[in-house]
Amino acid sequence: MNAKEIIYETEISDARWWAYDIPGNAGWIAYLVCLVKNLKRGLNTFNMTALLPGGLMLLGVGELISERIAGLDRVLPKRRLLRGFGALTVGGIGGMVVSALGLAAQKEKKHPAIMLMGSLLCAVFAGLCWQGYKKR
């Protein structure tokens, strides 16, 4: 971190962190598992559109893992906060939109329904973590 970076910090308790982390992780995992299963069936408009929110979720997870490795547990520069929790939240919101449209358009409803619930969990709980960070 350089001296000019805007730094954010959270004081969320460990218990609250786990309460957000577990359902949030279950959400992006469910979304991505169903997306991969759908992609195995072939490419269609729904699958191609669902890749963007899935990519944002993967970007966010990758960033959060790299933050953990770098020892930036609850103190983050703005750019890392946005790439981590921001990408997960936006990916979750996008996933909700895509999944809802998929529910309306797809014959098979199981995967889009699970993707909708997963992206909702991801958006809500990543958003709650993101909201807990305040400027230092």
Side-chain angles (χ1 to χ4, degrees), residues 7 12 26 29 35 38 49 68 96-99 105 111 122 125:
I7 304 299
I12 294 174
I29 291 168
L35 175 58
N38 279 348
T49 308
R68 204 46 85 120
M96 290 184 331
V97 172
V98 169
S99 301
H111 289 150
C122 180
F125 290 102

Side-chain angles (χ1 to χ4, degrees), residues 13-40:
S13 69
D14 287 343
R16 181 169 287 183
W17 188 274
W18 283 104
Y20 294 167
D21 194 46
I22 292 170
N25 285 336
W28 67 260
I29 291 168
Y31 184 91
L32 292 175
V33 166
C34 289
L35 175 58
V36 168
K37 286 184 170 197
N38 279 348
L39 287 169
K40 285 183 178 181

Side-chain angles (χ1 to χ4, degrees), residues 35-122:
L35 175 58
V36 168
K37 286 184 170 197
N38 279 348
L39 287 169
K40 285 183 178 181
R41 294 181 185 161
L43 293 178
N44 60 31
T45 305
F46 172 68
N47 293 343
M48 295 300 291
T49 308
L51 284 170
L52 180 60
L56 285 170
M57 290 177 197
L58 283 175
L59 172 70
V61 169
E63 178 61 31
L64 294 174
I65 289 169
S66 76
E67 290 166 7
R68 204 46 85 120
I69 291 169
L72 301 172
D73 192 17
R74 296 186 185 198
V75 179
L76 300 173
K78 182 178 182 178
R79 62 184 162 74
R80 283 187 165 253
L81 181 63
L82 294 175
R83 273 195 318 239
F85 291 113
L88 274 170
T89 303
V90 172
I93 293 167
M96 290 184 331
V97 172
V98 169
S99 301
L101 293 172
L103 271 172
Q106 297 284 105
K107 288 181 184 176
E108 190 274 324
K109 307 283 187 200
K110 179 181 169 187
H111 289 150
I114 294 170
M115 291 169 75
L116 178 60
M117 292 307 299
S119 55
L120 174 67
L121 287 171
C122 180

